[in-house]
Each structure stands twice: as structure tokens, then as C-alpha cells.
Amino acid sequence: MKNKVIVFFITFFVIMSSMVGVSLFINYLRDPLQLFSQKFNSQKLIDNARHQVSSIIKLYPFNSIILGTSMLENTSSKEASNILGGNFMNLSLSGSDFNTRSLILNYTLKNKRINKIIYSLDSNGLVNHSMKDTSNFDFLYDDNQINDIKIYLNKKYNQCLFDNSCYSKNIDMDRPYSWYKVEGHSKRFGGLDNWFKAKNNSQIKNAFKSILESIQQIKLGKKN
């Protein structure tokens, strides 16, 4: 009985290891993030900027960058290039703190000759000094390309094994991770009237809550 149990676990381990190995090999060949590709396909980008930006940096031509949070994700690279000169690329990451953006900035400076940088000093990042965990992707921005294959252990990329369903649609390299056209976001913009009409939106609710809390602090004579 004991031998049967041992054989079962060995067989199970071999099968699981083989499945993981085959999955990694297929993803390496398909390379949905274009980590090991020599040419850049702007129509095949994953919707996770933290995973995708490393290959944009390596393979896409630019000499200036826009690097901020969601507040800069909608900024046009073309407009920045026309006004400031240079060839801009928007590498902004939604919800990114300064530590996360330092990975992108350092990697960009190692791989590109950069002339100009538009960089946001977000108040939340200046006040909140906690560092977000980057362990699930920061290896994409080190000097070791071999360990990049680890990203394909992420179950998100299982859907990339046999089809193109994991790619984002309607990619615009002018601002690849913009969100201003998404209805859930766009209905909040266009003036205060639209802002108040969207009062049930979670972000609007949080904004109202923050404003009220600030008012209470001011009434108490506390610095905010």
C-alpha cells in the first residue's frame, strides 16, 4: 500500500511538472508579452501595463516618456511631442507609487537615450509613503532576461496558449493604457453637471467623502 502511495505522488508530480513545462514552452514560443521577440507588434498588447511596458521599452522607438499614474494615462504622446519636441511614449501605470515607477524609469534609462520626461508628483504618493508589492513583475525590469519566463506561470496567460483572446483590442500607441473612452469613466467628465450626475459612481462618492472630511479638518483648525 505504501509503495502505491509513493508511486501515485511521483506520477502526480511528474504529470504536473510536465504540464507546467509544456505551458511555459508554448507561451515562450507564442510570447504574448513580446519579451523575447525581435519585432514589436503594436496590435498585440496585454491589458496589464506592469507586465507589458518592459517590451514596449525595449522594442518600440521613442526618446522621451510620460510616466505617471492614471491621471497621465490619457495624455497624448503625439501632443506632447508636438508641443515639447522629441518622440514621446506614454508609459504611465494606473495606481502606481513612486517605487513602482522607479522600476520603469530605471529600465527605460538603461535601454533608451531619453531626452525629456513628463513625470507626475501625485499628492497621494507624496503623503502615503507605503510601498506597493512589486514581486510579481519586478523581475521583468532587471538585467536578467532568463527569469522573465516566470511571468508565464501567471494563470492569466493560460488563455494565450492557443488563441489571441488575452490581447487587448483597439490599442492606440498614442496612449496605450488610456481609459477616457470607457463609458464608466467618460460619463464623469465634461463639467460639473456631469460630475454631479455621476454621483453614484464609486470614485465620485470617494471624492465627496474626501471633500467632507477635509472640511471637517478645516473646521477643527487642523492642517490638512
Side-chain angles (χ1 to χ4, degrees):
M1 181 66 181
K2 184 179 179 180
N3 289 337
K4 289 183 178 180
V5 173
I6 294 174
V7 170
F8 171 80
F9 279 107
I10 291 176
T11 303
F12 178 78
F13 176 77
V14 170
I15 292 174
M16 292 303 296
S17 298
S18 299
M19 290 176 63
V20 171
V22 170
S23 174
L24 283 175
F25 181 67
I26 295 175
N27 261 323
Y28 171 76
L29 294 178
R30 287 183 59 81
D31 197 15
L33 286 167
Q34 304 181 67
L35 297 171
F36 308 100
S37 304
Q38 297 301 313
K39 294 183 179 180
F40 189 78
N41 186 341
S42 62
Q43 299 304 310
K44 288 189 175 183
L45 295 184
I46 300 298
D47 61 4
N48 189 320
R50 286 162 173 75
H51 293 179
Q52 184 70 83
V53 161
S54 63
S55 62
I56 293 178
I57 293 171
K58 285 191 298 184
L59 302 174
Y60 199 81
F62 59 86
N63 60 25
S64 300
I65 62 171
I66 300 168
L67 183 56
T69 61
S70 58
M71 289 187 283
L72 278 184
E73 281 185 311
N74 295 323
T75 303
S76 167
S77 299
K78 294 177 182 177
E79 186 173 5
S81 300
N82 290 335
I83 294 174
L84 300 176
N87 182 17
F88 275 85
M89 182 67 212
N90 194 330
L91 303 177
S92 298
L93 306 175
S94 180
S96 58
D97 58 8
F98 294 127
N99 176 58
T100 302
R101 277 184 273 163
S102 72
L103 296 172
I104 310 302
L105 182 59
N106 289 332
Y107 193 73
T108 304
L109 294 176
K110 284 182 180 179
N111 288 275
K112 287 284 195 293
R113 184 181 293 275
I114 299 299
N115 297 333
K116 299 181 178 73
I117 299 174
I118 298 175
Y119 191 90
S120 64
L121 298 177
D122 309 275
S123 59
N124 182 59
L126 293 171
V127 174
N128 182 4
H129 296 291
S130 62
M131 290 170 52
K132 296 182 179 180
D133 182 23
T134 61
S135 59
N136 66 332
F137 68 90
D138 55 16
F139 53 86
L140 295 174
Y141 300 91
D142 61 21
D143 295 325
N144 181 10
Q145 188 179 17
I146 296 176
N147 65 6
D148 291 355
I149 193 68
K150 289 192 303 181
I151 198 66
Y152 292 137
L153 291 173
N154 189 317
K155 62 181 181 181
K156 170 186 176 70
Y157 299 107
N158 289 339
Q159 60 183 321
C160 291
L161 291 176
F162 304 107
D163 59 39
N164 295 328
S165 60
C166 62
Y167 295 114
S168 295
K169 297 180 180 179
N170 302 318
I171 288 292
D172 179 7
M173 292 306 295
D174 181 39
R175 33 195 158 191
Y177 291 97
S178 61
W179 44 269
Y180 70 102
K181 291 181 181 180
V182 178
E183 184 180 358
H185 295 304
S186 62
K187 66 181 181 182
R188 290 180 286 144
F189 303 116
L192 276 177
D193 286 345
N194 289 340
W195 204 66
F196 286 117
K197 287 177 184 177
K199 62 184 179 181
N200 291 323
N201 180 278
S202 61
Q203 293 200 29
I204 298 297
K205 285 182 178 180
N206 289 335
F208 280 131
K209 180 181 178 182
S210 178
I211 291 170
L212 290 173
E213 289 175 349
S214 296
I215 291 172
Q216 292 300 319
Q217 293 295 310
I218 292 170
K219 284 183 177 180
L220 294 173
K222 297 182 179 179
K223 180 182 290 188
N224 191 341

